[in-house]
Amino acid sequence: MNLQPKSSVVVPVDFSGHCVEAIRTALQFVEQPAHVHLIHVVVPLESNSPAVLLGEVDQASREQRVREYFADYTRENQLPDITVVVRTGSPGETITDYAADAKADLIVISSHGYGGVKRLLLGSVTERVLRLTTCPVLVLPRGDDD
């Protein structure tokens, strides 16, 4: 991997404790903070879920709430003017599609380090990104606090 400054670095964000470290790592690879693209993927609503059937929740309102949370999150963590993106879809596929569209030079992602049955049940977004992307991926290991 070329260690020259990158023009586009994508960081998937699930708002876990590992994300801030991944963002700060990504900032080390770029000359301008705006070259770091934070992406949060909202899983589509099930059409038969009670909140959808009752009209209390829709995809647009969920995405708007995530954008508002992102604004608070970046301010609270004293992150500079970073590009923030909210998409709906399957996380692994949506992250890699966005990285391709953004012509990402690098994806920085933190791994939760799940194994065994937990990984089987939850799946692994990091593993899916590694399988699908065409750009380099820097995987940060989980910390001892989780």
Side-chain angles (χ1 to χ4, degrees):
M1 176 171 67
N2 181 349
L3 295 179
Q4 296 298 319
K6 309 298 181 204
S7 60
S8 179
V9 177
V10 172
V11 182
V13 174
D14 65 1
F15 303 110
S16 69
H18 305 290
C19 291
V20 174
E21 179 186 349
I23 296 164
R24 295 201 190 287
T25 299
L27 287 167
Q28 295 175 26
F29 285 95
V30 297
E31 291 181 348
Q32 297 179 12
H35 293 167
V36 173
H37 300 247
L38 306 183
I39 181 170
H40 179 80
V41 180
V42 178
V43 178
L45 286 168
E46 295 291 329
S47 61
N48 62 350
S49 70
V52 172
L53 293 174
L54 295 173
E56 295 174 2
V57 176
D58 63 18
Q59 201 62 42
S61 66
R62 288 175 72 214
E63 289 181 15
Q64 182 57 37
R65 277 184 262 154
V66 171
R67 283 186 191 86
E68 292 166 2
Y69 187 80
F70 246 138
D72 293 339
Y73 181 82
T74 55
R75 185 176 52 256
E76 287 171 10
N77 288 291
Q78 301 174 347
L79 299 169
D81 296 326
I82 294 176
T83 303
V84 172
V85 177
V86 178
R87 295 283 191 269
T88 299
S90 173
E93 289 84 357
T94 304
I95 291 163
T96 55
D97 289 347
Y98 179 77
D101 292 345
K103 297 180 177 35
D105 299 311
L106 178 66
I107 297 173
V108 177
I109 189 168
S110 58
S111 174
H112 293 288
Y114 296 137
V117 174
K118 194 170 187 181
R119 179 172 171 200
L120 179 65
L121 295 175
L122 297 175
S124 173
V125 173
T126 302
E127 182 178 352
R128 194 83 177 132
V129 168
L130 286 167
R131 289 180 186 267
L132 296 174
T133 193
T134 57
C135 73
V137 179
L138 175 61
V139 179
L140 303 176
R142 71 182 182 143
D144 291 297
D145 58 344
D146 286 331

